[in-house]
């Protein structure tokens, strides 16, 4: 049985003091469920102090990004090697990295390999734009991203991988995907992983949905067979909403 995974992406919000206060509030409000793993991805400024603050029985830390080289003349970058021992998870290929910062699948595949090499669990984000969907290209885009992003990894190396299906048009827009759209896309992601690595890899793979998840729609996604978790942006900045989403995951029947 795959453990459910609820990850909060705080994006570029909260200074270190505010981040510390929100973690405190979350620890007061989050119920611990044996079947749900909770991961918070704060700004890189806050990962080190929060690593000392958090109760690791309640939640784990993730980074939002990591560079693909371990060290060197790469001004402004933070490497997966530096994050090793501080975070347990790292987002890779988030749609804002792809579409605001122009990250290509080539860069994303190298980042994924660096994260794995440094023994951090990757959450790879994939998803189509509204134009891709309108053009009937959703499956082609998902297929291309999965194939290209995973190309440097073996079946053994993807054992800890989670893939988040995040349609770009649903992120931060309130225009969330319908459960049947999520079911079709997440089944297709699983199918691609099975084709690449075989049935065991697909069985072990955790697939998440992300895009305008709120307390009132979280359970409808978690009830989908094959959906193991959620990647939550905006609602993860509100401790009451995030705690409700974690409880919905626990109550869900999915996976
Ligand atoms: C995200 O940042 O990955 C995300 C899904 O954001 P939101 O929940 O705000 O749509």
């Amino acid at each position: 049985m795959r453990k459910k995974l609820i990850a909060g992406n705080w994006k570029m919000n909260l200074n270190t003091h505010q981040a510390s206060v929100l973690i405190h509030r979350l620890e007061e409000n989050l119920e611990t469920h044996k079947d749900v793993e909770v991961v918070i991805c704060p700004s890189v400024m806050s990962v080190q102090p929060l690593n000392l603050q958090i109760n690791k029985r309640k939640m784990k830390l993730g980074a939002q990004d990591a560079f693909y080289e371990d060290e060197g003349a790469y001004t402004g970058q933070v490497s997966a090697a530096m994050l090793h021992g501080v975070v347990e998870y790292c987002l890779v290929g988030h749609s804002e990295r792809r579409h605001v910062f122009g990250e290509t699948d080539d860069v994303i595949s190298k980042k994924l390999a660096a994260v794995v090499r440094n023994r951090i669990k990757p959450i790879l984000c994939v998803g189509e734009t509204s134009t891709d969907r309108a053009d009937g290209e959703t499956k082609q885009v998902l297929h291309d991203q999965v194939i290209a992003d995973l190309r440097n990894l073996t079946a053994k190396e993807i054992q800890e991988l989670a893939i988040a299906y995040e349609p770009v048009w649903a992120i931060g827009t309130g225009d969330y995907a319908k459960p049947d759209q999520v079911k079709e896309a997440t089944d297709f992601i699983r199918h691609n992983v099975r084709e690449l690595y075989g049935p065991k890899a697909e069985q072990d793979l955790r697939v998440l949905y992300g895009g305008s998840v709120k307390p009132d729609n979280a359970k409808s996604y978690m009830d989908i067979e094959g959906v193991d978790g959620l990647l939550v942006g905006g609602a993860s900045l509100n401790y009451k909403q995030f705690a409700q989403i974690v409880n919905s995951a626990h109550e869900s029947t999915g996976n």
Side-chain angles (χ1 to χ4, degrees):
M1 186 88 163
R2 298 181 296 265
K3 196 162 185 174
K4 297 168 189 172
L5 173 59
I6 304 298
N9 174 15
W10 286 359
K11 311 194 188 201
M12 198 180 71
N13 291 296
L14 311 180
N15 62 28
T16 47
H17 173 69
Q18 292 165 328
S20 170
V21 171
L22 181 52
I23 286 290
H24 184 69
R25 292 272 173 272
L26 273 172
E27 288 189 344
E28 285 176 339
N29 284 272
L30 276 184
E31 286 175 42
T32 310
H33 304 291
K34 280 206 172 79
D35 60 334
V36 186
E37 196 174 3
V38 177
V39 176
I40 298 293
C41 304
S43 130
V44 75
M45 279 291 292
S46 299
V47 287
Q48 185 83 276
L50 292 185
N51 183 41
L52 302 175
Q53 178 184 341
I54 60 164
N55 175 348
K56 295 195 175 78
R57 282 193 301 264
K58 286 217 158 183
M59 65 186 95
K60 315 232 166 90
L61 280 179
Q64 298 174 12
D65 185 36
F67 194 56
Y68 52 75
E69 296 291 350
D70 287 349
E71 59 183 13
Y74 303 101
T75 302
Q77 298 295 332
V78 174
S79 71
M82 291 166 173
L83 291 164
H84 171 79
V86 183
V87 297
E88 196 165 316
Y89 284 85
C90 185
L91 303 181
V92 182
H94 187 274
S95 82
E96 286 144 23
R97 299 299 319 169
R98 292 178 190 263
H99 298 287
V100 181
F101 299 101
E103 271 183 23
T104 60
D105 286 310
D106 182 44
V107 166
I108 291 163
S109 70
K110 289 198 239 168
K111 288 189 168 184
L112 201 49
V115 166
V116 170
R117 182 170 76 238
N118 285 287
R119 299 189 300 286
I120 296 171
K121 298 171 186 165
I123 302 175
L124 171 67
C125 306
V126 296
E128 81 287 359
T129 62
S130 55
T131 313
D132 298 331
R133 183 163 277 274
D135 292 347
E137 293 290 328
T138 299
K139 285 191 174 171
Q140 189 62 50
V141 169
L142 295 176
H143 171 268
D144 291 351
Q145 290 177 347
V146 169
I147 302 281
D149 298 346
L150 297 183
R151 72 182 153 213
N152 293 323
L153 299 178
T154 63
K156 191 164 184 294
E157 287 170 327
I158 65 150
Q159 273 171 358
E160 305 281 11
L161 172 74
I163 300 183
Y165 168 57
E166 295 213 304
V168 179
W169 47 272
I171 299 177
T173 58
D175 186 13
Y176 47 85
K178 296 190 186 75
D180 60 328
Q181 293 172 314
V182 176
K183 170 80 177 141
E184 192 178 15
T186 52
D187 279 353
F188 185 68
I189 290 168
R190 290 193 167 283
H191 164 78
N192 279 282
V193 169
R194 190 187 182 94
E195 294 276 290
L196 282 174
Y197 297 103
K200 169 86 172 75
E202 189 247 292
Q203 240 167 46
D204 293 344
L205 178 73
R206 289 191 288 181
V207 178
L208 320 183
Y209 167 71
S212 298
V213 172
K214 301 280 178 281
D216 59 357
N217 61 21
K219 189 165 178 297
S220 68
Y221 298 121
M222 289 302 298
D223 280 341
I224 299 170
E225 199 190 333
V227 171
D228 308 302
L230 301 166
L231 180 51
V232 185
S236 70
L237 292 165
N238 178 312
Y239 64 88
K240 285 190 183 148
Q241 289 190 13
F242 193 68
Q244 279 175 272
I245 291 170
V246 170
N247 287 342
S248 300
H250 170 62
E251 286 153 17
S252 70
T253 53
N255 90 5

